Amino acid sequence: MSADKVFERILSWASEDSHRGRLARAFQSNLGDSPELQAKRIGLLSIYLEREAHSKRGLSLI
């Protein structure tokens, strides 16, 4: 999956009323204006992306 597709997928979660939705909104708005916080957010969001890839949805990370 290309980087553009990854970010598109992550930002699609912003409308959700969930933990990953809140993370996506914070990432999108750069809440706190901190590179360290952004790195932590993208790390957590990548875990959600990996879980989705391994779930029955069959999202391909390649």
Side-chain angles (χ1 to χ4, degrees):
M1 179 180 279
S2 70
D4 291 336
K5 294 270 187 194
V6 167
F7 282 111
E8 182 181 310
R9 187 70 184 159
I10 288 172
L11 296 180
S12 74
W13 298 332
S15 62
E16 293 181 3
D17 185 27
S18 63
H19 182 248
R20 74 179 187 180
R22 289 187 299 275
L23 276 172
R25 288 189 296 278
F27 177 74
Q28 188 175 23
S29 65
N30 194 12
L31 190 65
D33 194 30
S34 166
E36 292 83 14
L37 284 175
Q38 287 293 80
K40 289 177 182 180
R41 288 179 187 126
I42 199 67
L44 289 170
L45 287 165
S46 67
I47 291 169
Y48 282 111
L49 190 64
E50 185 176 359
R51 285 181 186 164
E52 189 172 284
H54 288 108
S55 74
K56 60 184 172 244
R57 292 183 188 110
L59 181 65
S60 173
L61 290 177
I62 299 173

